Each structure stands twice: as structure tokens, then as C-alpha cells.
């Protein structure tokens, strides 16, 4: 069996494990009787067992969620680029909207000052600073969005694009795993600061 055939089988196994249709939790969710414990009367009902507050929709990652390692090794580079463009585009749109809101607020305060309404100069200064930050970050995101959108990538997984052998495949996995660990470390450091 050739390297490509082994790689193809490995990628299919990885894809099968990551396939949300084969996820046992999703399978249970699709069969309410199993969730209610009707399948086994010796088990307690699962309905209402976990009523603790969960994360809200706006703080949950897009589904199905995969880590950096799984995405980098199992998804096509074209798909990864597309996902990055959509995510970065959403963040860019949010920054553009926020910058526009702060611009409107600055204008309203400036017009009120011009009419002679009592306005604190500190309010105008803080609004100008906030607008500046949102505009600056929006510009950076726009540059990143353009760079990612124009990146030339094949519609192949990384291993397929590089045509790696078994030894290179193990090395590739180790490098991506190392990147994921470093990225998580950086994220934790930013969250703590």
C-alpha cells in the first residue's frame, strides 16, 4: 500500500472521528427517548440533570469546533482560508460598526458644544480616543483580511499538498501540535493580563 493510500485512509479515519454526524452526543440529542432514559429504565432520566447556566450563544465558538491541530491537519487549505476570511470579516465588520457609532457620538457632542450646550471636554476627548482605537484596529483587520483573502492555497489538506512520507507526516503533526501549544500559551497570557 502506497503512502498516499495510507494517508488517505488516515485522513478518512480522522474525518470520521471529527464528523458531527457520528458524534454520540449528537446522536442522543436526535433521539429524545434516549435522553429521557426510556432506553434503559435502570438509568436515571437525563432530562434536567444539568440545569447550570451555560455559555451564551455569543460566546460559543462556531460549530463544529475543532482545535488548531485538527483543523490544520484535516481540513483543506482552501477551507481554512475561507473560514479565516469569514471569521476575520465578522470581526472587521464589528470594528467598522463600532467606529461609526463613536464617530456619531463625537459629532453629536461637538454639535451640542457648538450650540452652546454645556459639554465636558473630557467626554469629547474620550470619544475621540475610543473612535481612534476602533478605527486603528479596523484598519489592521482590513489589511489582514485582504492578505488572507488573496493568499494562494490549494484545495488539498496540508499533507496532500506537501505529498509527505510517513516520517515527514509525523514531523508535520509535531510541528502543528507545538504551534497549538504556543498559541494556547499566548492566549492564556493575554487573558491573564
Amino acid at each position: 500500500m502506497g503512502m498516499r493510500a495510507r494517508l488517505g485512509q488516515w485522513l478518512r479515519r480522522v474525518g470520521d472521528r471529527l464528523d458531527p454526524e457520528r458524534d454520540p452526543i449528537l446522536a442522543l440529542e436526535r433521539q429524545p427517548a434516549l435522553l429521557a432514559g426510556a432506553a434503559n429504565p435502570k438509568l436515571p432520566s437525563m432530562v434536567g440533570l444539568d440545569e447550570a447556566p451555560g455559555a451564551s450563544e455569543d460566546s460559543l465558538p462556531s460549530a463544529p469546533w475543532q482545535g488548531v491541530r485538527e483543523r490544520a491537519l484535516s481540513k483543506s487549505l482552501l477551507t481554512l482560508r475561507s473560514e479565516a476570511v469569514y471569521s476575520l470579516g465578522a470581526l472587521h465588520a464589528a470594528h467598522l460598526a463600532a467606529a461609526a457609532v463613536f464617530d456619531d457620538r463625537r459629532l453629536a457632542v461637538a454639535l451640542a458644544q457648538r450650540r452652546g450646550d454645556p459639554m465636558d471636554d473630557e467626554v469629547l476627548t474620550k470619544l475621540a480616543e475610543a473612535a481612534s482605537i476602533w478605527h486603528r484596529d479596523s484598519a489592521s483587520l482590513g489589511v489582514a483580511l485582504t492578505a488572507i483573502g488573496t493568499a494562494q492555497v490549494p484545495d488539498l489538506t496540508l499533507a496532500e499538498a506537501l505529498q509527505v512520507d510517513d516520517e515527514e507526516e509525523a514531523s508535520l503533526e509535531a510541528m502543528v501540535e507545538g504551534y497549538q501549544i504556543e498559541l494556547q500559551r499566548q492566549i492564556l497570557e493575554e487573558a491573564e493580563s
Side-chain angles (χ1 to χ4, degrees):
M1 176 180 291
M3 194 278 299
R4 279 192 177 182
R6 286 192 309 272
L7 180 61
Q9 287 178 340
W10 177 79
L11 289 171
R12 277 190 289 284
R13 284 193 309 271
V14 168
D16 286 346
R17 281 184 277 155
L18 298 174
D19 183 0
E21 295 300 319
R22 296 174 189 236
D23 184 339
I25 301 300
L26 289 176
L28 281 175
E29 289 174 354
R30 290 191 184 101
Q31 297 176 8
L34 290 177
L35 277 176
N40 187 343
K42 294 181 181 180
L43 295 177
S45 171
M46 293 178 67
V47 175
L49 286 182
D50 185 8
E51 294 181 3
S56 61
E57 274 299 310
D58 61 346
S59 65
L60 291 175
S62 300
W65 177 250
Q66 293 177 316
V68 170
R69 180 184 177 282
E70 290 83 9
R71 286 177 181 268
L73 296 175
S74 68
K75 290 201 176 235
S76 119
L77 296 171
L78 192 62
T79 299
L80 289 175
R81 185 186 72 184
S82 178
E83 288 177 351
V85 166
Y86 277 104
S87 294
L88 196 54
L91 189 57
H92 187 229
H95 276 72
L96 285 172
V101 167
F102 279 109
D103 284 342
D104 285 347
R105 290 177 183 174
R106 283 175 53 202
L107 182 59
V109 170
L111 289 172
Q113 267 186 333
R114 188 170 183 148
R115 284 190 307 264
D117 295 342
M119 288 289 160
D120 188 359
D121 285 340
E122 188 178 334
V123 171
L124 192 55
T125 302
K126 287 185 177 186
L127 287 172
E129 288 172 359
S132 175
I133 290 168
W134 286 98
H135 277 291
R136 181 202 65 212
D137 291 347
S138 175
S140 297
L141 291 167
V143 169
L145 189 57
T146 300
I148 291 170
T150 58
Q152 297 294 313
V153 293
D155 192 9
L156 301 168
T157 64
L158 185 58
E160 292 169 340
L162 299 176
Q163 298 179 352
V164 296
D165 60 25
D166 291 340
E167 188 175 308
E168 289 174 323
E169 183 179 339
S171 177
L172 193 64
E173 287 185 33
M175 284 185 272
V176 172
E177 181 73 26
Y179 178 89
Q180 178 173 281
I181 291 168
E182 177 61 20
L183 179 64
Q184 288 171 339
R185 185 190 64 75
Q186 288 177 12
I187 290 170
L188 286 173
E189 279 181 5
E190 289 175 13
E192 290 172 358
S193 61

